[in-house]
Amino acid sequence: MCGICAYKTKENAVKLAVESLKILEYRGYDSCGISLFKNGKIETIKSLVDIEDLRKKTESISSHLAIGHTRWATHGGVTLKNAHPHLSSSNKIALVHNGIIENYKTLKENLNCAFQSETDSEVLVNLIEKEGGSLIEKVISASKKVEGTFAIAVIENDELVVGKRESPLYVAFCESGVVATSDISAFVGNVKEFYILNDDEFACLNENKIEFFNKNGEKIKKNAEILPKITQNFKIFDKTHMESEIKETKIVLKNTLKEYLNSDILTNLNLPKKIKEIDLIACGTAYHSALMGAEFFKEQGINSHAYVASEFRYGKEILSKNTLYIFVSQSGETADTIACAKLLKEKKMHLLALTNTPNCVLNRVCDNVLPTFAGKEFAVASTKAYCCQVFVLYLFSLFLAQNLQDNIEELIKFTNDFQVQDFDRALLDKIYHYKKIFFVGREKDYITALEASLKLKEISYINSIAISAGELKHGTLALVDESTLIIAISTEENVREKLFSNLEEIRARGGEVILVSNFKSGGFTKVSLSSMCENLMPIVSIIPLQFFALRMCEKLGYNPDKPKNLAKSVTVE
Ligand code: M6R
């Protein structure tokens, strides 16, 4: 949800900012822009196309001070006027902002100046201008009047100030000066150490000096963190991030298992003595792996539930000190998931973060961290990270039930034998015209159906639902006719016959059925899966379905890496 960056350097800061924006593009790609300070004034360049277009527009411009933004629209449509950076009405201050100013309407009414855009961010830059004192003083006093979330970089003359509340922001020295970005993987210019800004902390950035301030304007000291190696990819380069990342699944599962078996990650966890229940809280795809995790824990005899974070945070769940709360998130910066973790932290519950991003906000909120080692995931559609989440949750369920040792060989065999399987292209040619697609399954296969349906909707914009096969006849069967494609997942032996009966009911009503299964086809067109460890079949079955979504998207001529209306990190509520 928007990425920001700022550079004050001896070399060309504009070029560095463009490089950072290229990395931050996954956070939103509705528009992008840069403001720089040159010849005593601020110059602003924006693009509604993409970062490459911005790169071309800024190629011949150089400055030692630049701030940049890549936008996921919240307030105001996708227009150049609404694109960041925003300028104060005197054009003397420029600001980039990630977050939401909730009270912007009230602030706007009191500001009495002309606005160019419909954004809440333009209100903030004008609010800053109206405050008195140095730039850092103005930013801090404006922040006191603001309700909502922000990570901001602000320039006035030669000065650069940054600050944050809720939205992430990191600062560092680079080879030729200083940098601030929304994501540590977006630091360019040889950064070795970095500083994490906490909520309501601010910094004045100068080429060779960073000064930190708290919300009262007092100087504070902060310790630097070593920059972890998280920017590595796994050397599979396909034409889209999504395709590369699905194909990386085998490598990252192996990598994840190796890290868990060769380290003390599990034994170092500080868990409650008696875990009576495990509740998992997450959003989107991570919620689906949370659902899968709940099944694994129940299989090991531990009561477990999965919750959607945006519901849990306003719900009436009864909390318990004997419950372990697991927050699943690829990015570790999803606003609703973090809000739930903070809520439970206040109530002194036992928290564990399952994340793919070292140093992320969620890891800092929770007492314990289970990392996935999926490497950076750029595509908005989560694929390899989902498989790693499911894998780690299974591993953790075995660990809690003291069954890990007995299953190590099977886990190693799984990661060795596992193969990434594309969706059959000949079959795709026969079915890609369908506009109504249902995914069905039972038990864990139903969770796979939910995830497959989300993937398809997300990147191909086809209206699709997932339904537990046994529920069809309680209503949804009414929708089934010759125009319906039903993709049925069947890897659960104990409900196999039941599922087949449901499929016959669909066939009798004219629906076309494709079976994704490691069992016999029963006369249905089948995508054959290899038979592997039954509990890990959800990882085997989701791969051709991730490919199904990808290939449908490609056939329809869309870009899977940039689905409309979405962004990779959802840092607003
Ligand atoms: O970073 P998180 O795992 O917390 O993100 C949660 C969801 O926003 C995310 O999984 C989303 O549903 C994906 N785009 C789905 O592919």
Side-chain angles (χ1 to χ4, degrees):
M1 305 269 120
C2 303
I4 69 166
C5 66
Y7 283 87
K8 192 167 183 184
T9 49
K10 290 194 186 79
E11 62 181 305
N12 185 3
V14 179
K15 202 166 163 230
L16 295 171
V18 172
E19 288 313 315
S20 279
L21 289 181
K22 185 75 198 154
I23 301 167
L24 292 169
E25 202 177 13
Y26 73 89
R27 302 177 70 90
Y29 32 80
D30 287 334
S31 64
C32 52
I34 280 190
S35 279
L36 52 111
F37 187 70
K38 200 174 173 149
N39 302 330
K41 62 177 200 313
I42 291 172
E43 213 175 298
T44 299
I45 302 106
K46 299 181 183 183
S47 169
L48 283 179
V49 183
D50 59 14
I51 307 289
E52 287 314 313
D53 181 55
L54 186 69
R55 193 195 297 279
K56 279 185 209 132
K57 286 181 170 165
T58 53
E59 236 157 29
S60 57
I61 309 171
S62 131
S63 167
H64 69 288
L65 176 57
I67 55 175
H69 189 271
T70 178
R71 179 171 189 240
W72 183 81
T74 56
H75 294 67
V78 179
T79 63
L80 271 186
K81 283 199 166 157
N82 289 334
H84 293 223
H86 288 289
L87 295 177
S88 62
S89 53
S90 69
N91 289 336
K92 286 193 177 136
I93 302 183
L95 161 141
V96 285
H97 171 217
N98 167 30
I100 289 184
I101 308 301
E102 284 163 5
N103 59 338
Y104 82 101
K105 281 194 181 139
T106 324
L107 294 171
K108 195 171 184 175
E109 277 160 22
N110 297 331
L111 273 170
N112 190 28
C113 52
F115 289 92
Q116 308 300 318
S117 77
E118 301 146 85
T119 66
D120 51 340
S121 312
E122 195 190 2
V123 174
L124 181 55
V125 70
N126 280 296
L127 181 68
I128 291 171
E129 182 163 84
K130 289 281 184 303
E131 301 294 318
S134 63
L135 183 59
I136 183 75
E137 286 166 342
K138 286 194 271 200
V139 168
I140 293 176
S141 57
S143 76
K144 290 187 181 141
K145 298 180 179 157
V146 157
E147 286 163 23
T149 61
F150 59 85
I152 48 171
V154 190
I155 56 175
E156 180 180 34
N157 296 321
D158 205 19
E159 282 184 84
L160 169 61
V161 164
V162 299
K164 73 145 256 173
R165 182 185 299 155
E166 304 284 340
S167 306
L169 194 61
Y170 306 92
V171 297
F173 287 106
C174 57
E175 206 157 32
S176 65
V178 285
V179 46
T181 67
S182 304
D183 175 347
I184 55 174
S185 69
F187 285 137
V188 288
N190 204 8
V191 170
K192 295 201 166 60
E193 290 183 333
F194 69 104
Y195 298 88
I196 299 168
L197 277 195
N198 294 319
D199 288 344
D200 287 296
E201 287 183 352
F202 303 85
C204 261
L205 306 187
N206 276 300
E207 273 153 25
N208 46 17
K209 191 161 124 199
I210 303 177
E211 290 174 296
F212 295 102
F213 298 85
N214 64 18
K215 62 178 175 195
N216 302 320
E218 294 153 350
K219 279 196 186 166
I220 51 169
K221 280 216 153 94
K222 291 187 77 72
N223 294 326
E225 313 265 333
I226 305 287
L227 189 70
K229 279 193 186 159
I230 55 155
T231 43
Q232 92 280 22
N233 241 325
F234 292 92
K235 294 189 185 64
I236 292 179
F237 296 110
D238 245 296
K239 62 176 192 278
T240 62
H241 282 305
M242 185 173 173
E243 179 149 3
S244 314
E245 288 165 8
I246 303 174
K247 288 182 178 166
E248 284 165 13
T249 305
K250 182 177 170 84
I251 310 171
V252 299
L253 286 175
K254 269 194 149 193
N255 211 33
T256 299
L257 182 61
K258 199 172 95 204
E259 294 284 348
Y260 272 81
L261 295 186
N262 298 338
S263 73
D264 301 326
I265 300 174
L266 291 168
T267 46
N268 279 347
L269 292 172
N270 179 18
L271 300 173
K273 283 216 170 57
K274 190 149 182 49
I275 301 177
K276 281 202 176 148
E277 182 166 319
I278 296 185
D279 287 352
L280 301 106
I281 298 152
C283 302
T285 285
Y287 167 66
H288 297 152
S289 53
L291 284 170
M292 209 61 94
E295 293 307 307
F296 296 149
F297 294 125
K298 284 187 273 187
E299 270 161 31
Q300 300 298 333
I302 307 168
N303 199 18
S304 185
H305 294 102
Y307 297 91
V308 168
S310 54
E311 294 295 322
F312 186 93
R313 71 185 283 193
Y314 298 110
K316 295 175 186 59
E317 296 311 322
I318 295 161
L319 305 178
S320 160
K321 294 259 190 243
N322 293 322
T323 299
L324 175 66
Y325 295 92
I326 304 184
F327 299 88
V328 188
S329 173
Q330 187 285 129
S331 63
E333 56 170 292
T334 301
D336 283 316
T337 311
I338 291 172
C340 293
K342 285 186 173 169
L343 207 79
L344 297 195
K345 192 181 176 121
E346 264 172 37
K347 301 201 185 312
K348 302 205 172 4
M349 297 294 137
H350 294 284
L351 316 183
L352 188 152
L354 171 51
T355 59
N356 191 42
T357 311
N359 298 91
C360 62
V361 182
L362 200 53
N363 288 5
R364 299 202 296 277
V365 176
C366 294
D367 321 321
N368 294 288
V369 178
L370 283 182
T372 46
F373 295 90
K376 184 91 188 153
E377 197 180 60
F378 288 97
V380 170
S382 185
T383 54
K384 61 175 181 171
Y386 169 75
C387 292
C388 280
Q389 286 161 355
V390 172
F391 189 70
V392 169
L393 284 165
Y394 180 56
L395 206 130
F396 185 51
S397 73
L398 293 174
F399 169 77
L400 287 181
Q402 300 184 339
N403 283 331
L404 180 57
Q405 213 52 38
D406 296 345
N407 283 278
I408 286 181
E409 252 175 55
E410 191 175 36
L411 291 170
I412 295 175
K413 184 169 168 26
F414 176 82
T415 56
N416 284 339
D417 295 353
F418 172 81
Q419 293 301 336
V420 169
Q421 181 187 344
D422 204 335
F423 194 85
D424 183 326
R425 303 290 182 115
L427 178 55
L428 190 84
D429 285 340
K430 288 189 196 141
I431 57 175
Y432 82 95
H433 62 278
Y434 279 101
K435 294 281 168 275
K436 189 168 48 153
I437 303 181
F438 296 176
F439 290 85
V440 301
R442 282 171 168 258
E443 303 198 334
K444 291 198 285 301
D445 292 331
Y446 165 53
I447 304 169
T448 303
L450 288 168
E451 175 56 11
S453 172
L454 177 65
K455 252 358 35 129
L456 184 69
K457 282 186 276 236
E458 188 175 18
I459 58 169
S460 74
Y461 321 131
I462 290 172
N463 197 353
S464 151
I465 57 163
I467 182 155
S468 132
E471 272 294 291
L472 270 168
K473 60 174 106 36
H474 296 288
T476 311
L477 199 56
L479 289 174
V480 172
D481 58 21
E482 290 75 16
S483 69
T484 324
L485 174 66
I486 284 95
I487 301 190
I489 302 122
S490 172
T491 69
E492 299 263 8
E493 181 68 58
N494 65 321
V495 285
R496 177 181 166 190
E497 294 303 332
K498 305 279 171 211
L499 179 87
F500 273 70
S501 309
N502 301 140
L503 298 186
E504 291 297 353
E505 289 154 13
I506 292 167
R507 184 148 60 181
R509 273 129 191 118
E512 167 142 21
V513 176
I514 305 285
L515 184 68
V516 177
S517 178
N518 52 324
F519 303 136
K520 285 196 185 124
S521 72
F524 295 105
T525 308
K526 192 176 92 160
V527 172
S528 285
L529 304 174
S530 330
S531 278
M532 301 183 79
C533 161
E534 186 169 320
N535 271 314
L536 291 175
M537 281 308 288
I539 299 178
V540 180
S541 57
I542 194 61
I543 301 284
L545 295 171
Q546 291 171 345
F547 270 117
F548 173 64
L550 175 65
R551 302 301 177 217
M552 288 292 269
C553 163
E554 288 170 346
K555 277 243 176 226
L556 297 168
Y558 304 124
N559 177 353
D561 289 339
K562 290 185 176 178
K564 65 180 180 197
N565 306 338
L566 301 178
K568 180 80 178 154
S569 285
V570 186
T571 57
V572 295
E573 195 178 338

